[in-house]
Amino acid sequence: MAKLSLINRDIKRAKLAEKFAPKRAALKAVIDDQSKTDEERYQARLQLQQLPRNSNPTRQRNRCVVTGRARGVYSKFGLTRHKLREMALRGEVPGMTKASW
């Protein structure tokens, strides 16, 4: 089980990313627009830098929904390799069986 503070920090980052997503997208559109003047694009870049760091979606981690572990997470299931194996062996993951050959 991951520390609760790390899980909460990731939740906070997700909320910030959602809150600032429209503003971030608008600024990026201005930066990428070649028809704008260099000064306008530069000002947009400065405004983008002023946004909180944790509002950037790349700062979020994939975490297991059961344990909160950050490593070895299968994004298709939202589970770590440990929990995925346990649940598959108990038959709780539809369509997944233990391999045997």
Side-chain angles (χ1 to χ4, degrees):
M1 187 75 182
K3 288 174 66 173
L4 192 59
S5 60
L6 296 178
I7 296 170
N8 288 337
R9 185 184 307 162
D10 231 26
I11 293 169
K12 183 179 178 183
R13 284 179 177 159
K15 287 179 185 175
L16 267 176
E18 186 179 339
K19 177 181 176 184
F20 284 97
K23 187 170 188 177
R24 184 174 287 279
L27 289 172
K28 284 190 175 220
V30 171
I31 292 169
D32 293 338
D33 189 3
Q34 295 293 324
S35 65
K36 301 281 186 186
T37 65
D38 287 341
E39 183 61 31
E40 289 173 327
R41 294 170 64 203
Y42 179 71
Q43 290 300 322
R45 212 173 289 121
L46 290 178
Q47 289 176 359
L48 186 65
Q49 290 175 357
Q50 295 301 315
L51 295 179
R53 276 192 179 173
N54 285 335
S55 68
N56 194 344
T58 59
R59 290 179 64 96
Q60 295 175 29
R61 283 296 296 223
N62 285 338
R63 291 196 173 268
C64 177
V65 295
V66 177
T67 62
R69 183 179 160 92
R71 293 175 177 254
V73 177
Y74 287 89
S75 58
K76 182 176 181 179
F77 302 103
L79 299 169
T80 57
R81 54 195 173 89
H82 307 294
K83 289 296 172 184
L84 182 63
R85 185 168 193 269
E86 285 176 13
M87 293 175 81
L89 289 176
R90 288 193 303 246
E92 296 175 0
V93 181
M96 184 175 277
T97 57
K98 184 176 177 184
S100 60
W101 60 92

